[in-house]
Amino acid sequence: MSEHGEGSGVSIKRLLEAGVHLGHSRRYWNPKTRDFVFTMRNQLHIIDLRKTIKHLDAACDAVRGMVSYDQEILFVGTKRNIAEIVESNARRAGMPFVNRRWLGGMLTNHRTIKLRVERLKAIEYEFEHRGTAHLSKKERLKLEAEHQRLENNVGGVKNMNGLPRALFVVDVANERIAVAEANKIRIPVFAVVDTNSDPSRIDYPIPGNDDSQRSVKLLVEALADACIAGAAEKPAGVVQAS
């Protein structure tokens, strides 16, 4: 195995420096991640970064291929310490995202979510074209509060074209509802899989530390870069997949 992944451009050295190899303590270990563990040090599982490179490369290649056909990858990561990383990279890649709270039915009851998005867009249209001068103070505050709530809940998916082609999830355990919904309707899941997670429901697991901001930043940036590369490879005449 080369030190540099062919699909991601990320080296083992960079993974090591970012702490991607640092798993959880033995107490929280999920035995299903056995194949991803290199050794144990001070009761801490150490992830095999050769496996990380292999899986990261495969994930990036698959994402690049999907996006090259104008398909969308939904970035999901709602833990407070990584929310900004998920949002900034999804925006950089031109992809939808959920980084505050996963609403039940986001995938399996998409019609309801679509109604919320339509309401958000209606409020934004009113703000832009009519303003709030015609409203009483109470009405304005109520509308602003509704707008903020909708923006937090569905703002990251308001421009998503139907269901996404795939999910990219950070922290499988924390986003188990999102993973379960994707599994139910057979949407592929890419995910950072730490040693306390269950990789069995993940189509493209990426072994790595999903708690450290440095680790998450490096892995999310790699997937965002793959999206950008895929967008640049779109064949002429490709129509957005519904």
Side-chain angles (χ1 to χ4, degrees):
M1 171 70 69
S2 169
E3 185 184 60
H4 293 271
E6 295 176 0
S8 66
V10 176
S11 67
I12 286 182
K13 180 181 178 182
R14 289 182 65 197
L15 294 173
L16 193 63
E17 291 172 345
V20 176
H21 61 297
L22 301 175
H24 282 264
S25 69
R26 185 174 187 173
R27 177 182 176 186
Y28 298 105
W29 179 47
N30 188 319
K32 292 182 180 180
T33 64
R34 186 184 308 276
D35 289 344
F36 300 152
V37 174
F38 176 69
T39 189
M40 183 179 293
R41 186 181 303 154
N42 298 323
Q43 296 299 305
L44 190 73
H45 281 108
I46 303 300
I47 294 167
D48 188 340
L49 293 182
R50 294 172 300 178
K51 300 285 182 68
T52 301
I53 285 285
K54 177 182 177 181
H55 287 271
L56 180 60
D57 286 352
C60 286
D61 286 342
V63 163
R64 188 160 47 244
M66 291 175 181
V67 177
S68 73
Y69 282 90
D70 217 13
Q71 296 170 329
E72 293 176 315
I73 311 297
L74 177 58
F75 283 53
V76 182
T78 62
K79 290 192 302 187
R80 186 173 298 180
N81 67 319
I82 64 166
E84 192 280 328
I85 295 171
V86 170
E87 177 177 352
S88 62
N89 279 283
R91 289 189 183 278
R92 181 170 67 87
M95 292 294 150
F97 63 90
V98 175
N99 73 327
R100 295 294 186 98
R101 175 180 167 230
W102 181 269
L103 296 178
M106 183 77 74
L107 300 178
T108 54
N109 189 16
H110 189 64
R111 177 174 170 76
T112 298
I113 302 303
K114 186 177 180 181
L115 290 175
R116 296 190 189 190
V117 168
E118 289 173 353
R119 175 58 180 162
L120 173 60
K121 290 181 176 180
I123 295 174
E124 291 178 341
Y125 181 88
E126 181 164 346
F127 283 165
E128 182 179 353
H129 295 278
R130 295 188 62 194
T132 58
H134 64 290
L135 300 174
S136 67
K137 182 179 179 180
K138 182 178 181 180
E139 289 171 332
R140 177 175 57 80
L141 290 175
K142 183 178 179 181
L143 193 62
E144 288 175 349
E146 182 184 5
H147 175 262
Q148 187 60 57
R149 184 173 64 255
L150 288 169
E151 179 63 32
N152 288 342
N153 288 338
V154 298
V157 299
K158 66 182 177 183
N159 296 316
M160 188 167 67
N161 296 288
L163 290 171
R165 175 65 177 83
L167 262 61
F168 171 46
V169 173
V170 181
D171 196 329
V172 173
N174 195 63
E175 311 300 343
R176 59 187 178 279
I177 297 175
V179 172
E181 288 193 26
N183 290 162
K184 185 174 182 179
I185 59 175
R186 299 183 180 180
I187 290 179
V189 180
F190 297 77
V192 179
V193 176
D194 211 328
T195 58
N196 68 327
S197 301
D198 179 0
S200 65
R201 299 193 173 203
I202 307 303
D203 300 276
Y204 293 88
I206 304 167
N209 181 339
D210 63 15
D211 296 306
S212 161
Q213 287 184 323
R214 287 194 307 161
S215 172
V216 169
K217 185 173 184 290
L218 179 59
L219 298 175
V220 174
E221 284 179 349
L223 268 290
D225 288 344
C227 290
I228 293 168
E233 297 170 1
K234 290 178 185 177
V238 167
V239 178
Q240 170 69 51
S242 59

